[in-house]
Amino acid sequence: MNYFERLYDENEDVKVRFVGFTTADVRYDFGLVYTNMFFGKPLVICMQTGRSALLDPQDIQNIESLQQTFRIRTYKEAEDLAEFFRETIPSANFDPQYE
């Protein structure tokens, strides 16, 4: 009855931060999960839509990707969100898992 090969099964106490804020046009509610998994990239979860992403400072620079990932209506709104993430998500040194 062993159907799956387990790749990992980790338990970890993590820091979670919940942040709600508004811009001139939009309200946002995010959960940020800081973990040692995923090479130090925090898991960012939109509490309104359930959409999530692992983000680091390099990912935040890609405005189009943020816009698509979180289904942001306009490029300007995605720029505003990137500015928030730049101030909120710490820099982490990590090695990419997949190249």
Side-chain angles (χ1 to χ4, degrees), residues 22-86:
T22 62
T23 65
D25 302 310
V26 182
R27 175 190 169 128
Y28 296 102
D29 296 282
F30 283 98
L32 297 101
V33 180
Y34 298 95
T35 173
N36 291 319
M37 300 290 291
F38 316 118
F39 304 97
K41 287 187 175 190
L43 176 61
V44 179
I45 306 158
C46 177
M47 304 305 288
Q48 296 167 329
T49 65
R51 296 185 63 83
S52 63
L54 297 168
L55 297 179
D56 68 10
Q58 185 177 358
D59 299 320
I60 295 166
Q61 300 305 319
N62 188 339
I63 305 297
E64 293 86 4
S65 178
L66 283 178
Q67 186 176 4
Q68 181 179 16
T69 298
F70 292 107
R71 293 189 182 165
I72 305 299
R73 291 180 298 182
T74 68
Y75 189 86
K76 170 67 171 109
E77 291 173 5
E79 285 180 319
D80 293 342
L81 187 58
E83 182 179 337
F84 165 76
F85 287 146
R86 278 193 286 280

Side-chain angles (χ1 to χ4, degrees), residues 1-6:
M1 294 274 220
N2 189 5
Y3 298 113
F4 303 101
E5 181 179 347
R6 188 174 305 238

Side-chain angles (χ1 to χ4, degrees), residues 6-23:
R6 188 174 305 238
L7 299 176
Y8 60 89
D9 183 356
E10 299 289 328
N11 290 313
E12 180 182 2
D13 291 326
V14 298
K15 178 180 175 185
V16 179
R17 179 179 177 189
F18 296 98
V19 181
F21 64 97
T22 62
T23 65

